[in-house]
């Protein structure tokens, strides 16, 4: 699995989560919600320190990552994080 994030998306996370250089954002599967790769699960995030990184990307001094134990959610597809200027929100592309 490849993971990427655009610079505008990283800046959005920094602004919205009050992130400082050197901090990290974890993406993980959670039970519930909709719109995900697997029915009944959705993508969640939190500020967290990594333990066993499965995929990662660093942008604007922030580490964005998925733990190895959550790679199943992406079903061997790539994970791209983009920013929509039109809606001022994040878009996740899993393909």
């Amino acid at each position: 699995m490849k993971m990427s994030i655009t610079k505008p998306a990283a800046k959005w996370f920094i602004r919205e989560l009050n992130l400082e250089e050197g901090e990290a954002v974890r993406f993980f599967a959670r039970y519930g919600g909709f719109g995900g790769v697997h029915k009944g699960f959705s993508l969640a995030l939190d500020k967290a320190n990594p333990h066993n990184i499965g995929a990662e990307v660093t942008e604007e001094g922030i580490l964005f990552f998925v733990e190895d134990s959550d790679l199943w959610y992406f079903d061997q597809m790539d994970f791209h994080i983009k920013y929509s200027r039109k809606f001022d929100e994040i878009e996740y592309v899993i393909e």
Side-chain angles (χ1 to χ4, degrees), residues 2-69:
K2 294 179 186 173
M3 184 173 176
S4 68
I5 185 167
T6 63
K7 193 174 290 274
K11 289 180 179 182
W12 183 92
F13 278 104
I14 291 167
R15 183 182 77 232
E16 293 296 317
L17 300 177
N18 295 316
L19 297 170
E20 296 183 16
E21 188 171 336
E23 291 190 304
V25 176
R26 173 185 173 223
F27 295 91
F28 61 97
R30 72 175 184 103
Y31 184 71
F34 61 92
V37 177
H38 299 281
K39 186 175 181 177
F41 291 88
S42 60
L43 193 60
L45 64 96
D46 65 355
K47 290 189 335 186
N49 292 319
H51 297 286
N52 190 18
I53 295 176
E56 68 182 293
V57 61
T58 300
E59 184 64 59
E60 296 291 312
I62 306 297
L63 173 66
F64 298 90
F65 71 97
V66 175
E67 291 284 356
D68 188 60
S69 60

Side-chain angles (χ1 to χ4, degrees), residues 66-83:
V66 175
E67 291 284 356
D68 188 60
S69 60
D70 285 307
L71 288 178
W72 66 268
Y73 177 80
F74 298 92
D75 201 21
Q76 299 181 350
M77 293 183 272
D78 294 335
F79 176 39
H80 307 288
I81 307 162
K82 301 177 179 184
Y83 171 72

